[in-house]
Amino acid sequence: MDERAIAWNVAQIKRLLSPGTRLMIAVKANGYGHGALHVVHAALLGGATDFGVASVEEAMQLRTEGVTAPILVLGAVTPSGVTKAAEYGISVAMTHDWRTDKQYLSSKHPVRVHIKVETGMSRLGVSPHAVPDLVRWIESQPNFLLEGIFTHLACADAPTTDHSQRQVDVFEQVLAEIKSQGLRLPSVHVANSAGAIRNANWHYDMVRVGVAAYGYRPSREVDVPFLLRPALGLYGMVTRVIELSPGQTVSYGATYTATSVMRVATVPVGYADGYPRILSNQATVLLGERRVPVVGTVCMDQLMIDVSTVPETRVGDTVTLYGPKAPAVWNMRELEARAADESSQIDWITRTFAEATPRFSVGENEADVGWQAYISLDNIAAQAGTISYELMCALSTRIPRLYVKA
Ligand SMILES: *Cc1c(COP(=O)(O)O)cnc(C)c1O
């Protein structure tokens, strides 16, 4: 994972915002699979001010690791979750009216809350009409600190913005009602990546950005006015190369049959690593700069590729499954020859990656990107019938993570 890419993307998003607008980066699900602490570090360099997570556990993990920036739990929390969050100085979303359950009110530490308003996602949130009374009540509670009020757009990445605008209209009415009752309006936030990129009217006091920080478009519908740098890559080294004769088949179910003499290489990445099985006989990977197809069924721990067009392929060569192409020097022979122990191997891998995909700064354009060949997670996700988000989060814990420092 390239922390520099995250810092870059966050800095570009920051440039879209008015000075003073806060920038929350969503780091739930271990930073969309990237490693939450590394994402936080890089995002702070890029100008992030706040972080969003899904659960109190995720937030506490970051606090324990030393993150002092504001953290908001975006999902629903239990009464004991509220108590824990308060203890750790973590803000929580009030996704329903807590007054019905006295257990929610027992924290000894100040509870920092953002009221979540249901405006059309039908997932979480207080009904619009109930919000002003709830605001008044929270403000009257010495142990509660009303920090924010927010809603979430269901269709910010859709071809049209009608649905989003209807949600914003409902939300605006709630804000107007709060003000007309003479109540204080806390920090207001609405937009995810798509909303933040598409419409500055939806920025309010803060935006909550996830996918764009990781370098991917929210959807094909959203035009991004700057270059996004994908932060993650998934790589594997060839473990075997064989020649097949016509009629021989590949992998479980024999779903691929050689029609002529061909060369097949094995790569130790499978669906248990988060590489979807539905990509069997569908996806392509990179060998050097060349695209080669996945052949046969993707196994739990391995997959096979057709390397007939790259006859020089040897055991130990690096295959790019997602992201920027692997540096030319990445192969087991170079690795073993240059690096004696594991930590110097990691140094070598990250240094050669950093050299192959150089840093570039604000003002440079797409032509300056250090990689011409890369496997777009968007394309792979489309082939797998899903979205980039799901593939990022699917990367399993057994994959060793390497980080290029920002
Ligand atoms: C995850 C999340 C976001 C970020 O969404 P992206 O589409 O990744 O930008 C924003 N708001 C809420 C409530 C979220 O759960």
Side-chain angles (χ1 to χ4, degrees):
M1 200 277 271
D2 190 348
E3 294 180 3
R4 300 168 309 174
I6 305 246
W8 160 271
N9 297 327
V10 171
Q12 302 315 299
I13 296 156
K14 183 94 177 170
R15 274 152 38 104
L16 299 178
L17 308 178
S18 308
T21 304
R22 299 182 71 88
L23 174 51
M24 171 184 285
I25 301 300
V27 294
K28 59 207 185 203
N30 194 25
Y32 290 35
H34 291 63
L37 188 60
H38 290 269
V39 176
V40 167
H41 168 69
L44 285 170
L45 292 176
T49 55
D50 294 61
F51 296 94
V53 295
S55 67
V56 175
E57 286 71 19
E58 286 183 339
M60 281 167 52
Q61 173 83 27
L62 290 174
R63 278 281 181 267
T64 308
E65 289 167 337
V67 176
T68 56
I71 302 175
L72 172 61
V73 178
L74 297 160
V77 285
T78 60
S80 58
V82 170
T83 308
K84 274 271 180 230
E87 211 177 297
Y88 282 73
I90 293 160
S91 308
V92 289
M94 188 183 280
T95 57
H96 70 278
D97 189 340
W98 291 347
R99 285 175 291 181
T100 53
D101 183 349
K102 292 280 174 288
Q103 284 184 283
Y104 272 107
L105 315 179
S106 59
S107 167
K108 287 175 192 62
H109 299 272
V111 179
R112 303 166 172 272
V113 293
H114 291 231
I115 298 176
K116 173 136 198 197
V117 186
E118 170 64 73
T119 60
M121 175 84 177
S122 305
R123 185 173 70 174
L124 290 174
V126 178
S127 306
H129 69 267
V131 173
D133 182 52
L134 192 57
V135 169
R136 183 177 302 102
W137 176 78
I138 295 172
E139 294 282 35
S140 75
Q141 296 297 302
N143 218 20
F144 278 76
L145 214 65
L146 183 60
E147 286 185 332
I149 181 163
F150 72 111
T151 194
H152 189 47
L153 301 175
C155 305
D157 60 351
T160 67
T161 54
D162 312 4
H163 191 283
S164 302
Q165 196 53 55
R166 276 200 299 280
Q167 286 193 262
V168 170
D169 292 346
V170 171
F171 189 62
E172 279 285 350
Q173 279 169 23
V174 173
L175 301 182
E177 189 56 33
I178 292 169
K179 280 189 279 191
S180 80
Q181 294 193 19
L183 297 163
R184 177 186 69 94
L185 207 55
S187 170
V188 176
H189 46 108
V190 170
N192 54 8
S193 297
I197 290 166
R198 271 186 154 177
N199 192 340
N201 292 328
W202 298 342
H203 288 179
Y204 295 94
D205 299 315
M206 179 164 78
V207 297
R208 307 183 306 267
V209 169
V211 74
Y214 301 100
Y216 283 90
R217 285 162 73 174
S219 72
R220 287 175 200 274
E221 263 61 60
V222 179
D223 282 323
V224 180
F226 52 84
L227 179 73
L228 288 171
R229 291 181 67 186
L232 73 78
L234 177 64
Y235 306 95
M237 280 181 178
V238 169
T239 51
R240 192 182 75 156
V241 183
I242 53 161
E243 197 168 280
L244 294 188
S245 319
Q248 287 188 291
T249 63
V250 180
S251 194
Y252 290 120
T255 58
Y256 184 89
T257 306
T259 53
S260 52
V261 174
M262 67 182 292
R263 292 172 75 74
V264 169
T266 304
V267 183
V269 176
Y271 60 77
D273 300 296
Y275 194 86
R277 185 171 176 276
I278 200 163
L279 295 175
S280 302
N281 289 309
Q282 276 209 70
T284 54
V285 303
L286 291 174
L287 251 179
E289 302 221 332
R290 270 170 291 179
R291 276 173 196 275
V292 303
V294 171
V295 288
T297 302
V298 173
C299 310
M300 186 183 291
D301 315 307
Q302 300 171 81
L303 56 81
M304 274 63 84
I305 55 178
D306 176 359
V307 299
S308 306
T309 57
V310 195
E312 67 275 22
T313 304
R314 290 168 65 185
V315 168
D317 286 350
T318 297
V319 174
T320 304
L321 297 121
Y322 301 157
K325 70 168 194 269
V329 293
W330 275 11
N331 60 62
M332 193 60 88
R333 300 173 295 282
E334 293 262 357
L335 182 63
E336 302 271 313
R338 284 166 192 259
D341 56 55
E342 198 183 336
S343 74
S344 57
Q345 286 187 349
I346 290 171
D347 285 348
W348 181 78
I349 291 171
T350 51
R351 182 167 44 77
T352 48
F353 183 89
E355 286 162 7
T357 55
R359 174 195 289 275
F360 60 107
S361 57
V362 177
E364 290 173 286
N365 61 40
E366 192 152 358
D368 299 320
V369 183
W371 60 79
Q372 295 75 34
Y374 81 103
I375 299 285
S376 156
L377 212 54
D378 286 327
N379 293 343
I380 292 280
Q383 284 181 312
T386 184
I387 53 177
S388 60
Y389 295 71
E390 187 178 353
L391 297 188
M392 294 178 208
C393 299
L395 294 172
S396 75
T397 51
R398 83 171 180 193
I399 301 173
R401 261 75 167 169
L402 297 181
Y403 294 95
V404 178
K405 292 263 166 290

